[in-house]
Amino acid sequence: MARGVLRPAASALAFLAGAGAAAFAYGSLVERRAYTLREVSAPVLPAGARPIRVLHLSDLHMAPWQRDKQEWIRSLARLKPDLIVETGDVLGHARGLEGVRAAYDGFRGIPGVFVHGSNDYFGPQAKNPLKYFLGPSKKRPSTAPRLDTAALTAYFRDLGWTDLDNRAAGLEIGGAHLEFFGVDDPHIRFDRVEAIPGALDELREDDPFSDDNAWPDEGPSEQRQAVTIGVTHSPYRRILDAFVTYGASMIFAGHTHGGQVCVPGFGALVTNCDIPRAQVKGLSVWRHAFRSAYLNVSAGLGTSIFAPVRFACRPEASLVTLTPAP
């Protein structure tokens, strides 16, 4: 009798083990490299403005040998975006900048903005992936290898992109005035979100056409409206709430990997921050204090070299078209 009971149990365990191995193999060998472009639109521009195509890139976790990822990203230049928003965790190896150059050199001359993530400061470390189910990962210990963040920043600036780490900046894109502010990575408490109001005040003081000033080529009845955009690597609630309070109508973020390993029909199991699971990736609306902003969270294009698997959550870039509000 005992043997009759044990045989079905053993068969069930063997089946589960086989299914788990097959899922891991698929997630590591197939889906992790199934790069996809997600296209959405957000109605945040003033009436009459022409649409602005924003290429949102995030979480490359680039290693120099990842040629397929580099080639796929480089191919996105064919989209001819008006603006690139890079939300951090670009590096994934001490020589990651070699792969980043191969991927991003084709975007030279396209306006862009960027912030850094923790993996742009600290190299990857082997860790138990089950710890992610216990809550957001902690700040990396002092034993983590430091990466050449300054070289990455210099490269982005050489591309013509603007650093938004605890800063604000204005850009003219397609005839529209875009006002940006951002923070360094909140996941490791590098953000200085309290500095944003002062940075915005300084930006607006330096802008001769801010507030109620007219467009230079328009009559006095035509007023220029700035569209305010917040940029962060990690979409923690306190950051998103502050961005909405400071007037953002559009927010870009990364960090979550969309959950990275998801359950079909259920979605992400973890977010690696305190954002709700329903908003772990894609376009949604973030509401705070009777205000709201569109929020685009990228599921990112990479993984840690120590956790090279995705399941039911393809690596992605986003093409977000900003359109006139109704």
Side-chain angles (χ1 to χ4, degrees):
M1 177 67 83
R3 291 181 179 178
V5 173
L6 289 175
R7 286 176 181 172
S11 298
L13 288 174
F15 173 80
L16 291 174
F24 181 84
Y26 165 78
S28 180
L29 300 176
V30 179
E31 185 162 340
R32 181 172 61 90
R33 297 178 175 178
Y35 307 111
T36 189
L37 180 70
R38 179 169 51 82
E39 299 188 48
V40 294
S41 61
V44 298
L45 298 181
R50 77 165 181 82
I52 297 175
R53 289 155 54 87
V54 181
L55 182 60
H56 181 191
L57 299 167
S58 194
D59 295 87
L60 273 62
H61 294 274
M62 185 65 78
W65 60 79
Q66 295 172 337
R67 301 295 176 82
D68 58 338
K69 185 193 303 182
Q70 296 160 20
E71 292 174 2
W72 189 85
I73 296 170
R74 187 166 57 243
S75 74
L76 297 177
R78 74 185 189 281
L79 300 173
K80 300 186 183 303
D82 302 299
L83 173 72
I84 293 174
V85 174
E86 166 56 69
T87 51
D89 272 8
V90 179
L91 301 179
H93 186 273
R95 291 172 43 223
L97 186 55
E98 297 174 19
V100 174
R101 290 179 181 275
Y104 279 0
D105 271 352
F107 300 127
R108 188 176 300 276
I110 300 174
V113 297
F114 67 92
V115 294
H116 291 320
S118 63
N119 287 275
D120 299 321
Y121 294 99
F122 303 98
Q125 287 183 297
K127 62 179 66 175
N128 183 354
L130 296 179
K131 288 185 177 181
Y132 284 103
F133 294 95
L134 302 177
S137 58
K138 305 300 183 183
K139 182 176 179 179
R140 294 174 184 272
S142 58
T143 56
R146 290 299 300 255
L147 300 180
D148 195 346
T149 313
L152 177 66
T153 300
Y155 172 65
F156 282 167
R157 287 175 172 167
D158 184 59
L159 289 178
W161 297 358
T162 300
D163 187 352
L164 293 178
D165 286 310
N166 302 321
R167 293 178 172 89
L171 292 176
E172 302 292 328
I173 305 291
H177 181 59
L178 304 183
E179 183 180 75
F180 295 90
F181 60 79
V183 291
D184 207 341
D185 192 6
H187 190 60
I188 50 175
R189 294 284 180 170
F190 279 14
D191 64 283
R192 297 293 178 267
V193 70
E194 69 280 0
I196 296 301
L200 285 172
D201 287 343
E202 184 176 347
L203 172 66
R204 291 161 181 169
E205 287 173 2
D206 293 339
D207 183 359
F209 301 110
S210 64
D211 299 327
D212 293 330
N213 293 312
W215 287 93
D217 298 325
E218 302 284 354
S221 61
E222 297 292 333
Q223 305 296 316
R224 181 168 76 161
Q225 297 174 274
V227 177
T228 304
I229 298 174
V231 183
T232 181
H233 174 65
S234 306
Y236 280 87
R237 292 173 183 261
R238 63 183 180 87
I239 300 298
L240 302 180
D241 289 349
F243 280 11
V244 171
T245 297
Y246 298 155
S249 56
M250 182 79 213
I251 301 172
F252 290 93
H255 176 69
T256 66
H257 294 194
Q260 189 166 325
V261 176
C262 300
V263 176
F266 179 80
L269 299 174
V270 295
T271 66
N272 203 21
C273 63
D274 61 358
I275 192 172
R277 285 191 313 102
Q279 293 176 279
V280 71
K281 67 177 178 179
L283 186 70
S284 63
V285 176
W286 188 262
R287 295 179 173 86
H288 174 66
F290 303 104
R291 298 183 181 183
S292 64
Y294 285 95
L295 168 64
N296 191 70
V297 179
S298 173
L301 283 162
T303 67
S304 167
I305 58 175
F306 294 109
V309 62
R310 280 180 177 259
F311 191 82
C313 185
R314 287 188 173 188
E316 68 173 28
S318 307
L319 185 65
V320 182
T321 301
L322 308 183
T323 61

